[in-house]
Amino acid sequence: MSLRILSADERLAEAQGKTTLAVFGPSGAGKTTLLTTMAEDKTVCVDFEAGLKSVQHWRGDSLPVRRFSDAVDIACLIGGANPAAQPDEHFSEAHYAHLRGQHPELAARLDAKSIVFVDSITDLTRQAMVWAKTRPEALSERTGKPDTRGAYGLLAREVIGLLKHLQHAPGKTVIFVGILERLTDEMNRTIWQPQMEGGKVARELPGIVDQVMTLGLFSEETGPDGAITWRHDPDKGAVRRLVCRAGNPWGLPAKDRSGRLDMTEPPDLGALLSKINQTAKG
């Protein structure tokens, strides 16, 4: 057991070194292009979508992932060993040691990165569902036929476990990008929600990450006093903005634990990370 109390300086230094973000936006909003605002030498893109054609000029490293089992291994290499995991579980000391021995070059490259850009968490959950359907838990014990409820329960446990493991990755800023879909309820009201397999993952993700942002299209308006305001205009807007605060007038997913961000910010994650981490300096 290694329990210890952190001093205020230690806690602030740790907070300054890492942040976890979730950024959602409609398809085609330019979520992947946010990668171009990140330092190329410090960032690795974990690519679940094979969708980096739009950022071909970005010279940072990427890591294509096509199977959920590979995603678990990558998360283990990034986040290290979980001392609470049993030897036969994901993220255990044995799992981590095995992966570092099997993939020493990959482990070294990931060690050198301080920013992990996950594109996208939507496709991560899709891969997880494909994997979950092959597991014994997804089959009825009585009939042996597929059990959808069992598959969704397994998906939720495994994906949330992976997200929390990345949350605790020492010294790493982790950015999850996902699709935001527009729904209309029975009262003909517009609702925006993250698109993922399994509702439990979407509900719990905001509690796991430090920051939640929505990338949306806006129109610029000028008031009588000359002040510029932004109107959310998902169909005709020409300006991309990141919505950063909960309780915004457009009902878009957002949360700012830093207390440092404005209601909307320019779509520059590198600049926003600098602004968030200034909080630690007091």
Side-chain angles (χ1 to χ4, degrees):
M1 181 181 296
S2 57
L3 298 177
R4 69 186 185 92
I5 294 177
L6 294 178
S7 69
D9 288 341
E10 289 174 319
R11 184 176 68 254
L12 293 175
E14 181 177 330
Q16 198 170 9
K18 58 176 291 183
T19 304
T20 50
L21 290 86
V23 182
F24 296 101
S27 296
K31 298 181 296 298
T32 301
T33 61
L34 294 172
L35 185 59
T36 63
T37 69
M38 312 304 297
E40 295 176 346
D41 59 330
K42 298 178 180 178
T43 306
V44 60
C45 176
V46 183
D47 177 19
F48 288 93
E49 293 190 338
L52 300 186
K53 190 175 182 63
S54 63
V55 293
Q56 293 181 78
H57 58 291
W58 185 75
R59 305 300 296 173
D61 292 342
S62 64
L63 181 57
V65 180
R66 298 293 171 265
R67 300 182 303 177
F68 182 68
S69 57
D70 292 335
V72 171
D73 288 345
I74 295 304
C76 187
L77 285 172
I78 291 172
N82 178 359
Q86 297 300 311
D88 59 342
E89 292 179 336
H90 296 328
F91 314 127
S92 66
E93 295 279 1
H95 185 200
Y96 181 60
H98 169 74
L99 291 174
R100 291 197 71 90
Q102 192 175 38
H103 306 287
E105 293 184 8
L106 174 59
R109 291 285 288 270
L110 291 173
D111 287 347
K113 305 298 182 180
S114 59
I115 301 171
V116 180
F117 189 94
V118 179
D119 187 18
S120 69
I121 192 172
T122 302
D123 276 85
L124 167 63
T125 61
R126 289 170 180 162
Q127 290 186 15
M129 177 53 81
V130 172
W131 170 84
K133 287 180 177 179
T134 67
R135 307 299 296 172
E137 297 93 326
L139 299 175
S140 169
E141 292 183 359
R142 185 172 60 85
T143 66
K145 294 182 179 180
D147 177 4
T148 302
R149 186 171 62 179
Y152 274 110
L154 179 60
L155 176 150
R157 291 193 300 274
E158 294 295 325
V159 172
I160 290 170
L162 185 152
L163 298 179
K164 288 186 175 180
H165 190 72
L166 289 176
Q167 174 198 21
H168 290 286
K172 305 286 189 185
T173 285
V174 183
I175 301 165
F176 301 104
V177 174
I179 295 175
L180 189 71
E181 59 182 344
R182 176 165 49 179
L183 303 175
T184 303
D185 67 10
E186 64 278 3
M187 302 293 292
N188 204 33
R189 295 173 300 191
T190 297
I191 300 172
W192 297 90
Q193 67 179 31
Q195 185 183 100
M196 297 184 205
E197 293 286 346
K200 185 174 176 62
V201 177
R203 290 192 300 271
E204 294 208 13
L205 178 62
I208 294 172
V209 298
D210 299 313
Q211 311 286 137
V212 178
M213 303 175 187
T214 291
L215 180 64
L217 294 175
F218 286 78
S219 295
E220 183 178 317
E221 297 181 340
T222 304
D225 58 354
I228 294 175
T229 59
W230 297 101
R231 177 171 57 86
H232 186 227
D233 191 356
D235 298 315
K236 298 180 180 180
V239 181
R240 296 160 64 240
R241 301 281 294 182
L242 283 166
V243 180
C244 303
R245 288 188 182 179
N248 59 78
W250 314 289
L252 295 169
K255 179 183 75 171
D256 176 24
R257 278 185 179 166
S258 74
R260 190 81 184 188
L261 303 181
D262 294 332
M263 183 68 75
T264 73
E265 296 274 1
D268 185 334
L269 289 183
L272 285 186
L273 287 172
S274 296
K275 193 171 183 179
I276 290 167
N277 288 330
Q278 287 176 8
T279 306
K281 299 177 182 179

